[in-house]
Amino acid sequence: MIASLTRRALYALATSTEVESLVRAIPPAQDLAYSAARRYVAGTTLDEAIETVRRLTAAGLAVSLDLFGEGAADEDELAATVRGYREAAAALADVGGDVYLEIVPSHLGLDLGFDVCRRHVEQLVEVLPAGARLEISAEESRRTPQIMDLTVALAEAGAPLVATVQANLRRSPDDVDRLLAAGVPIRLAKGAYLESADVAHAWGEGATVAFIKLAHRVHAAGSAPVLATHDAVVREALLEALPGAGVEMLLGVREDDARELVARGVPVRVYAPYGDSWFRYWMRRVAEAQGA
């Protein structure tokens, strides 16, 4: 109970504009916070991020590069985001290795309308390097229906995608079936947001059981799930039971595990976010450490 309350309190701080503004207004506080966050962040600039990507791919790891941000509120902000993503896509063409571009639908205008977001995503598909995919992030459950519609529509139009499914959401078995029918590879996570009991299984045992069941569901349909978890017990049990499954991990979390998995021949992809909007992401990592 205490851990749950701590996690909820930290998550509230992670989503607080006031707290972030306060920290950023005090240079020593911002420097201290970024020093703590740096292990989880590929950099604040694209150049820094690309250096991180090169380091990871040289170690035999695949990478998903993401530009921080969510909840775009206007077209000017969206235009800047699309430019940033396009620059990242162009940079990936010269990196080498197995590198995807991660996108957050609300960062590309989902809250302003389905068609707005799809138009911006399609601009990224046009410049995506050969062999790369767009890895579509999950967001809060209120956005999940539109994200699923967007993912399937893009896949039907031929876009190279990977979808993210949060196992804790009660709707996820149906989403998995829909994505599999559309031929979309699935990255399976336990769940990254605090949700009400009517839409999500409880954090902990409930979400873990749902994760295991969905991983088997994906594999039984002939698709190799990507297991986005740092839970070593669950991960090892599923890798043994589901030949071909891969693993995705967060930058800065259990890096020794990632290297050991690569040495065993397990495909491992590292999520590497970058940009100036790192504060909330870092606070979420701190919150998850209290209950993940």
Side-chain angles (χ1 to χ4, degrees), residues 57-260:
T57 56
L61 296 158
V63 182
S64 284
L65 183 66
D66 186 18
L67 175 61
F68 280 128
E70 57 188 27
D74 58 59
E75 284 290 344
D76 289 340
E77 183 180 350
L78 283 172
T81 298
V82 173
R83 284 196 300 273
Y85 272 126
R86 288 175 68 94
E87 290 169 0
L92 293 184
D94 298 324
V95 169
D98 183 357
V99 186
Y100 292 173
L101 189 65
E102 178 110 2
I103 59 170
V104 178
S106 72
H107 198 194
L108 287 165
L110 186 67
D111 295 347
L112 299 178
F114 177 92
D115 291 337
V116 172
C117 183
R118 180 172 180 173
R119 182 174 70 251
H120 291 300
V121 176
E122 287 174 341
Q123 291 181 47
L124 303 181
V125 173
E126 293 173 357
V127 297
L128 198 65
R133 291 179 180 268
L134 290 180
E135 196 159 39
I136 300 179
S137 287
E139 300 191 62
E140 297 93 335
S141 62
R142 63 185 173 85
R143 290 174 170 140
T144 302
Q146 280 194 300
I147 292 174
M148 288 298 122
D149 290 345
L150 174 70
T151 303
V152 171
L154 290 167
E156 290 175 346
L161 306 173
V162 176
T164 305
V165 173
Q166 298 182 96
N168 68 324
L169 297 185
R170 298 183 186 279
R171 59 170 289 147
S172 288
D174 290 337
D175 289 337
V176 162
D177 291 346
R178 185 182 180 193
L179 292 167
L180 290 170
V184 181
I186 293 173
R187 172 179 63 177
L188 186 63
K190 286 186 181 180
Y193 299 91
L194 296 177
E195 303 282 0
S196 61
D198 60 324
V199 300
H201 300 287
W203 186 263
E205 185 176 288
T208 298
V209 170
F211 182 90
I212 292 168
K213 288 181 176 180
L214 285 177
H216 280 275
R217 191 185 192 105
V218 173
H219 193 267
S223 184
V226 176
L227 309 171
T229 180
H230 299 100
D231 185 328
V233 174
V234 170
R235 181 190 70 218
E236 292 302 320
L238 289 175
L239 288 176
E240 179 72 21
L242 310 178
V247 172
E248 183 159 332
M249 305 178 73
L250 301 175
L251 180 67
V253 181
R254 295 195 175 187
E255 293 187 348
D256 289 344
D257 281 10
R259 288 189 288 269
E260 189 268 336

Side-chain angles (χ1 to χ4, degrees), residues 12-51:
L13 292 176
T15 56
S16 170
T17 300
E18 292 77 11
V19 172
E20 180 177 5
S21 297
L22 178 62
V23 172
R24 287 183 175 274
I26 306 171
Q30 177 172 261
D31 292 344
L32 184 62
Y34 186 67
S35 178
R38 186 63 179 89
R39 62 179 290 188
Y40 305 111
V41 178
T44 58
T45 68
L46 179 57
D47 286 344
E48 291 175 347
I50 292 301
E51 287 304 308

